[in-house]
Amino acid sequence: MKQRRFLKGVRTWGWAVLFVAYTVGAVGIVILDTAEERYRGLSKIQLTSVTSERDTRRAGAAEIAALYRAQSGMPFSSLQPGSTFQIVWPDGSTETVMVVSPSSALGTEPLQGTAQPAPTKH
């Protein structure tokens, strides 16, 4: 009797641990680095950084997000509206961006307070 209760408890906790591990893994942030070969030639990001105008950053981030979606295994479920990703601009500066509309040229919105300047080179 005790053994069955113990096995039931192990099974219950096992499922709970599996669920928590899956949830933590699914929440991970996507980091898109513009230094990668597939993003390097995009026209809207070549000279973009966190100091660029907001619409320039929005257009560059939307272009990168579109390419990421197109090359992912699940293009209609990756980077849906409301999801966020971190972008590393060519100069090394970073910011977090939220997808507003996947079908718009300005379909992303930089999140306030997330912009980090490029590290200084010594």
Side-chain angles (χ1 to χ4, degrees), residues 13-60:
W13 282 106
W15 281 110
V17 169
L18 183 64
F19 175 75
V20 169
Y22 175 77
T23 304
V24 169
V27 173
I29 190 163
V30 175
I31 298 175
L32 302 177
D33 190 351
T34 58
E36 289 182 29
E37 184 66 35
R38 61 182 168 171
Y39 302 123
R40 239 184 262 157
L42 298 176
S43 61
K44 294 179 182 168
I45 61 141
Q46 290 179 349
L47 301 175
T48 306
S49 74
V50 294
T51 58
S52 300
E53 291 184 25
R54 186 174 195 83
D55 282 347
T56 303
R57 296 189 338 259
R58 289 179 66 197

Side-chain angles (χ1 to χ4, degrees), residues 55-77:
D55 282 347
T56 303
R57 296 189 338 259
R58 289 179 66 197
E63 188 175 39
I64 289 171
L67 183 60
Y68 176 82
R69 275 192 295 277
Q71 293 180 344
S72 75
M74 301 178 303
F76 297 109
S77 62

Side-chain angles (χ1 to χ4, degrees), residues 4-20:
R4 270 194 255 165
R5 189 179 319 154
F6 175 75
L7 289 176
K8 185 177 180 183
V10 168
R11 185 174 39 214
T12 302
W13 282 106
W15 281 110
V17 169
L18 183 64
F19 175 75
V20 169

Side-chain angles (χ1 to χ4, degrees), residues 61-92:
E63 188 175 39
I64 289 171
L67 183 60
Y68 176 82
R69 275 192 295 277
Q71 293 180 344
S72 75
M74 301 178 303
F76 297 109
S77 62
S78 60
L79 294 182
Q80 294 180 352
S83 61
T84 59
F85 64 95
Q86 187 175 40
I87 188 167
V88 181
W89 295 111
D91 69 344

